[in-house]
Structures are given as C-alpha cells and as structure tokens.
Amino acid sequence: MTARFDAIGLVVSDMAASVAFYRRLGFAFPDGAEELPHAEAGPPGGLRLLLDTEETVRSFLPHWQPPVGGGRASLALRCEGPEEVDALYGELVGSGYHGELKPWDAFWGQRYAIVHDPDGNGVDLYAPLATAAE
C-alpha cells in the first residue's frame, strides 16, 4: 500500500470570499459552493483544493484556533508567461486583494509576485523568464 499526495486543505473564515478568490485563479468550484461548509475544486493537473470553514474544523476539533502571525505555507501558481503574472497580480490587487510583493524579475529566473487570499494565505504567481538563448 502506498499513500499518494491528493489535495491541499485550507481553513477559511469566509467561504464565499475564498471561493470567489480561487475561482479568479481558475479553480472550478461548483455552483453553490459559497454556501457550503466544505468545498472542493480540481485545478488542472489532478490535484484538488479543499476549503473548510473554521466552524467545520471545530466540529471535529473543538479547541482548534487559527494560527497567529505570518503563514508558513503558500500556494504557487505557474502562469503562461511574465506578462500573465503582471496582469493577474494587477487584476487581483485591483479587486481589493492584498498584494504582498509586486511582480519582479527574481534572481532565480522567474517573474514572481505574491498576493494574499481573504485569510492571508500567500499565493505565489510565477512564470519562467525568457533566457538569452530563447
């Protein structure tokens, strides 16, 4: 028997706000997901993103409290190219989401930016930079 990586789960404060944010990033949540205590969406690539309200987590772990301070995890979304990083970052920040790091050409060879979801989780947007040989 071999366990396999299948999903990423996030605890969210506001399901509707989180579903709206991740839909903007291409996650296909079903209609009505905004009203549910647990929602799942499958992005391209076969993984799933799982969202649960704080109340849902407390239903089986009554003493759970959200972490305090900065997060230790983030989601990373590969964009088609550097211009998509800039456009998506601009769209999200323009819609009121927190831009943690404006797009920049990172020394490791990517156009890279960070936005926060409604609960402050980092979402990295990146694309490889063209090399001189391309």
Side-chain angles (χ1 to χ4, degrees):
M1 185 191 263
T2 302
R4 66 182 176 88
F5 181 70
D6 180 58
I8 296 168
L10 299 175
V11 178
V12 301
S13 299
D14 182 334
M15 183 64 78
S18 295
V19 167
F21 177 83
Y22 285 103
R23 277 185 178 150
R24 286 179 161 236
L25 295 174
F27 290 84
F29 284 95
D31 290 342
E34 305 84 350
E35 306 301 322
L36 300 174
H38 173 87
E40 298 185 14
L47 293 176
R48 295 176 300 136
L49 176 64
L50 313 177
L51 304 176
D52 289 291
T53 63
E54 294 173 359
E55 293 76 23
T56 298
V57 173
R58 285 190 193 105
S59 75
F60 58 84
L61 194 59
H63 301 294
W64 181 87
Q65 293 295 317
V68 177
R72 293 179 178 245
S74 64
L75 302 178
L77 301 178
R78 182 179 177 141
C79 297
E80 289 295 319
E83 59 286 337
E84 186 181 4
V85 172
D86 294 354
L88 187 52
Y89 179 89
E91 175 190 333
L92 293 168
V93 171
S95 295
Y97 298 105
H98 174 71
E100 179 68 12
L101 179 65
K102 291 180 181 178
W104 68 293
D105 293 342
F107 61 86
W108 56 84
Q110 295 175 336
R111 185 70 172 167
Y112 183 82
I114 302 171
V115 294
H116 284 175
D117 75 4
D119 290 291
N121 296 304
V123 177
D124 303 350
L125 307 174
Y126 73 94
L129 291 169
T131 63
E134 291 181 312

